[in-house]
Amino acid sequence: MKVSDKEFELYLPEQEINKSVSTLSEKINEDYENKDPLFIPTLNGAFIFAADLLREVKTPCEISFIKVASYSDMQSSGNIKDLIGLNETIFNRHVVLVEDIIDTGRTISHLIDKLKELGPKSLEVVSLLVKENKSKVSPTYKGFEIPDYFMVGYGLDYNGYGRHFKDIYRLKGKINE
Ligand code: IMP
Ligand code: MG
């Protein structure tokens, strides 16, 4: 499968993703019943994961998307922009950050620091994918631990393309070293 100028191969088929998302939503339902949680998915990558995950949430909740960006091409640039779009009150609120993928962990650490300053009652992270042994931050809820390949699909893009794929694909060739 070609995306932009690179070849990718199937890594996680839709059915496996869906199973994992159901398991995650079940845990979240157990932990957040009647806690009035505020879910904060990060754009753009988490839009599909958040839509699937949060439609299974049974307790009253709010959902508010924020935007940050740290990647250009395939390298984490490390320049994390400030949060855009956070209008809800965080103080004294049970907050859950919803991420598509944690790679170096820089984005999520930055978000955690920013949100903690606002005094949430609790702050947890749910991430569909986590690259093994790379990030110091481990989310409370995680879908898959994955090897260090660049991934596309199910919200994740390569140079802006591939977000709409139902399955997740990995870059063909050698693993990142
Ligand atoms: P981190 O700050 O290095 O953890 O990178 C986090 C962000 O980079 C994610 O939220 C994604 O938007 C993007 N990213 C990291 N790894 C990948 C990948 O394999 N494919 C597509 N986007 C990625
Ligand atoms: Mg992201």
Side-chain angles (χ1 to χ4, degrees):
M1 144 95 61
K2 191 145 190 185
V3 182
S4 190
D5 58 343
K6 296 263 191 305
E7 276 296 328
F8 287 79
E9 62 189 48
L10 183 63
Y11 182 70
L12 290 171
E14 185 185 1
Q15 298 89 315
E16 269 189 56
I17 299 170
N18 294 346
K19 248 193 273 166
S20 175
V21 173
S22 303
T23 308
L24 291 171
S25 58
E26 279 167 26
K27 287 188 197 139
I28 287 173
N29 280 324
E30 281 171 24
D31 293 353
Y32 286 90
E33 201 183 344
N34 299 323
K35 285 189 169 173
D36 187 27
L38 168 62
F39 293 100
I40 306 183
T42 59
L43 290 172
N44 294 319
F47 81 112
I48 291 180
F49 174 47
D52 285 349
L53 180 81
L54 300 178
R55 268 179 299 166
E56 300 304 324
V57 168
K58 310 288 184 222
T59 201
C61 66
E62 284 189 279
I63 301 168
S64 181
F65 284 81
I66 54 170
K67 180 139 189 165
V68 287
S70 74
Y71 256 69
S72 61
D73 203 25
M74 286 190 182
Q75 287 299 312
S76 193
S77 69
N79 301 321
I80 297 149
K81 293 175 191 151
D82 269 340
L83 319 188
I84 306 165
L86 188 63
N87 303 316
E88 281 66 22
T89 304
I90 301 298
F91 184 72
N92 223 12
R93 202 73 200 275
H94 290 291
V95 175
V96 184
L97 276 166
V98 182
E99 258 292 17
D100 45 355
I101 185 164
I102 297 176
D103 181 358
T104 63
R106 273 197 287 258
T107 308
I108 201 72
S109 308
H110 177 79
L111 281 173
I112 290 170
D113 291 348
K114 286 264 168 193
L115 289 170
K116 275 193 176 155
E117 287 170 12
L118 303 173
K121 196 179 270 176
S122 67
L123 177 60
E124 306 297 336
V125 176
V126 52
S127 182
L128 181 66
L129 305 175
V130 181
K131 288 194 184 163
E132 283 162 0
N133 310 324
K134 258 194 117 178
S135 164
K136 285 189 206 94
V137 183
S138 182
T140 317
Y141 307 95
K142 93 180 129 185
F144 301 91
E145 279 211 352
I146 57 165
D148 191 9
Y149 286 103
F150 194 84
M151 305 278 171
V152 292
Y154 199 72
L156 297 161
D157 72 303
Y158 166 53
N159 274 349
Y161 289 88
R163 291 195 197 277
H164 60 106
F165 302 150
K166 290 183 175 174
D167 312 288
I168 293 174
Y169 297 79
R170 73 163 175 78
L171 187 67
K172 264 196 177 168
K174 267 190 22 205
I175 194 161
N176 282 335
E177 311 230 332

